[in-house]
Each structure stands twice: as C-alpha cells, then as structure tokens.
Amino acid sequence: MGRDIEQRILKEIKDLPPFSAIANRALKLTKDPRSSAIDISRVISYDPAFTARVLRMANSAYYGFARKVTTVSEAIVILGYETLKSVVLALTLQNFYDKEVRGYGLERGDLWKHSVGCALASRLIAGQVKYPSVEEAFVAGLLHDVGKVILNQFVGEEISKIIELSGSEGLSFAEAEKRVLGFDHQDIGSKVAEKWNFNEKVVEAIRSHHKPDRAKKDPELTAIVHVADFICLSLGLGIGSDGMLYPLKKEALDLLKLDELEIDNLIFSAYNITEEIEKILA
Ligand SMILES: [Fe+2]
Ligand SMILES: [Fe+2]
C-alpha cells in the first residue's frame, strides 16, 4: 500500500502547480544548464512580489552585508545561484507551505517559517564550524522538510494512524511515518529535491536530517541541518507534533565539534531569527 501512495505522490509532484507564471519561467531556467544568473534575474524582475522576497532574503541580517542590496542581479551574486534556485522552488511551494499542515499539528505558515528559520540557522552554524559552502547549508535547511508538505497533501487518513503510533509507542514522526507508510517525509523530500536537480549533498541532507549518522557523501552538511532543525524547534519555530520528540544526536555534535555550551550560544545567537523571518516574509 505504501508503494501505491508513493507512486501517486511522485506523479503528483510532477504536476505541482506553479507559484506564478514568472516563478514557473524562473524554475524552468534554473533547470536549464545553459541559463545564467542574469537570465533568471531578468525573469524575476518582472514580478515585484518575487523581487521583494529575493531582496529581503539578501538583505537579511544573517547575510551580514552593511550595504543594502537593491537589485536582483546583485542579490543573486550574494545569495548564490543554488540559493536562488531554492528560493524560487520554495516560493513555488509556498502555496503548500502556507496551508495548515494538519497531520503535523502545524498552523498555517508554520512550516514555511520553520523552513526559513532552519535555512538561516543552518547558515549560522555553517559559518561557525567553517563549513566550506554556507549557501549549500542554507539550501538544505530551507528544503529539509519539503516532504512533509507533500505527504500532508496525499496521505489523508493514514496521518491519524501515524499520530497515534508516535504517541502510543513514543516514536518520532519520521519513525511512525516509516512504520505506517513504508517511507517518511525524508524519503519524499529527497525525491522532490532530486527531481529539481539539487546536488546530491543537499539531497542526502534532506534524506537523513533525522538520522545524520546515515549520511555518507557529506556528513557535515547533514549534521548542520540536523542541529539547525533542533535549534529551530528549541526556539519554538514550527513546533508541531514533530517538535516534541526531537532527540539531538550526539554524533552530529561530535562531527561538528560543537559542545553543549556552544549549542546554547548558537540558540542564543539564533534568537533573532524569529524576528528576521517576520521581516523576510512581511
Ligand atoms: Fe523533518
Ligand atoms: Fe524540521
């Protein structure tokens, strides 16, 4: 039965409705290996709302630029091509993110805030541990729970079985999903990311963010997203049923060479993220 649902979901992913005609064109360009950042900025510039979002993201305090970024092409240089791709994708999916994610006990917009928060926190951690590609960390953080949106749309009544099982057996949501469906939001999310041609490290971080010790290609990136996810839940960003059972894996901390005091400091530094998100999403 799990496979049936999975096939149905994968088929539906193919026909995800576009956020807007402009976003759709931008997405096509991001998938075209011949397109450049300039082509994309040209398309995005036609949509004022989209432009505003991209600029807000670039002007977020977490990018630490003293000077204000005022044009999309400048923002693309700062955000990087991969980040832009994920922002376009996330905005395309925002219709879904914005819905109430009922099965997970999340209210309208919560998952979106959680995702943007996790992107910012991943970036913060990446900077602290000197991970070579902070933008990749941002992208992986932004997309890590994309599978939840998709699952919530298609899994209907099974979701109550998942909630029940996680409650009665003290399982995390991902474990309960796996038990009931045969796959979890990490599996579905990584398939979405694969389909959109995100690189294999990002795909792996999405696939293993609850079990960072499974990561083989780039364990550091997966560990960053895992810790960022924990930090966001500690800050109350997107606490749903999933937030109650989120064990922080020691292996991830060891790999990143972070101790508990540093985690407390990171939580403290990430405190402004909530405010930052309101600004970005205003
Ligand atoms: Fe998750
Ligand atoms: Fe999460």
Side-chain angles (χ1 to χ4, degrees):
M1 180 214 47
R3 276 220 80 70
D4 266 20
I5 299 177
E6 195 172 13
Q7 287 314 317
R8 223 174 71 218
I9 290 173
L10 290 178
K11 206 181 150 292
E12 297 286 346
I13 287 170
K14 250 175 134 180
D15 313 318
L16 281 177
F19 167 68
S20 70
I22 304 263
N24 202 25
R25 274 170 59 199
L27 270 176
K28 276 207 182 106
L29 279 175
T30 60
K31 285 198 282 176
D32 180 352
R34 288 163 307 175
S35 75
S36 69
I38 296 166
D39 296 329
I40 295 172
S41 70
R42 206 172 290 141
V43 170
I44 292 175
S45 304
Y46 287 117
D47 185 327
F50 215 105
T51 302
R53 283 266 157 87
V54 173
L55 291 180
R56 261 183 234 135
M57 197 77 97
N59 281 315
S60 145
Y62 284 82
Y63 280 91
F65 287 93
R67 195 167 52 87
K68 210 167 158 48
V69 180
T70 50
T71 66
V72 175
S73 46
E74 219 183 332
I76 291 171
V77 173
I78 289 171
L79 293 171
Y81 189 63
E82 281 296 306
T83 306
L84 178 78
K85 247 170 98 168
S86 89
V87 170
V88 171
L89 173 61
L91 291 177
T92 307
L93 288 172
Q94 198 186 0
N95 289 341
F96 292 98
Y97 272 110
D98 249 359
K99 285 194 187 120
E100 177 186 15
V101 189
R102 216 166 337 135
Y104 294 95
L106 293 168
E107 288 182 19
R108 217 171 158 260
D110 275 0
L111 190 58
W112 176 241
K113 284 184 187 167
H114 172 70
S115 305
V116 177
C118 194
L120 294 173
S122 297
R123 201 172 187 284
L124 186 73
I125 300 166
Q128 165 133 355
V129 302
K130 307 216 166 23
Y131 179 72
S133 172
V134 282
E135 297 313 329
E136 215 150 69
F138 181 94
V139 172
L142 188 62
L143 294 175
H144 78 287
D145 269 341
V146 67
K148 277 189 187 174
V149 190
I150 312 287
L151 270 187
N152 189 63
Q153 296 291 311
F154 301 106
V155 183
E157 67 256 32
E158 274 85 2
I159 214 100
S160 49
K161 279 191 219 150
I162 295 171
I163 300 175
E164 213 182 283
L165 191 66
S166 92
S168 63
E169 299 205 18
L171 299 176
S172 74
F173 243 68
E175 283 164 334
E177 284 167 353
K178 194 118 199 161
R179 206 64 94 69
V180 174
L181 304 166
F183 55 87
D184 61 21
H185 71 274
Q186 302 175 100
D187 301 324
I188 294 298
S190 61
K191 289 208 164 97
V192 176
E194 227 163 38
K195 188 184 146 46
W196 290 102
N197 299 327
F198 280 92
N199 75 43
E200 48 180 18
K201 294 188 221 163
V202 170
V203 170
E204 178 182 67
I206 297 170
R207 192 188 301 118
S208 305
H209 67 271
H210 290 280
K211 287 208 166 137
D213 52 321
R214 282 197 313 204
K216 299 282 171 285
K217 292 194 171 75
D218 189 350
E220 214 180 346
L221 181 64
T222 305
I224 289 172
V225 175
H226 175 76
V227 175
D229 202 9
F230 174 83
I231 288 178
C232 284
L233 295 167
S234 311
L235 291 170
L237 274 172
I239 289 219
S241 318
D242 205 17
M244 293 172 220
L245 261 169
Y246 199 100
L248 179 60
K249 298 275 169 40
K250 197 174 167 304
E251 309 91 271
L253 295 183
D254 291 347
L255 189 80
L256 299 173
K257 300 192 180 64
L258 289 171
D259 57 29
E260 270 170 40
L261 182 70
E262 281 167 304
I263 291 293
D264 284 348
N265 287 338
L266 276 167
I267 293 179
F268 187 74
S269 323
Y271 207 72
N272 298 331
I273 282 181
T274 329
E275 221 172 84
E276 205 59 46
I277 290 172
E278 299 299 333
K279 272 194 243 152
I280 292 174
L281 303 182

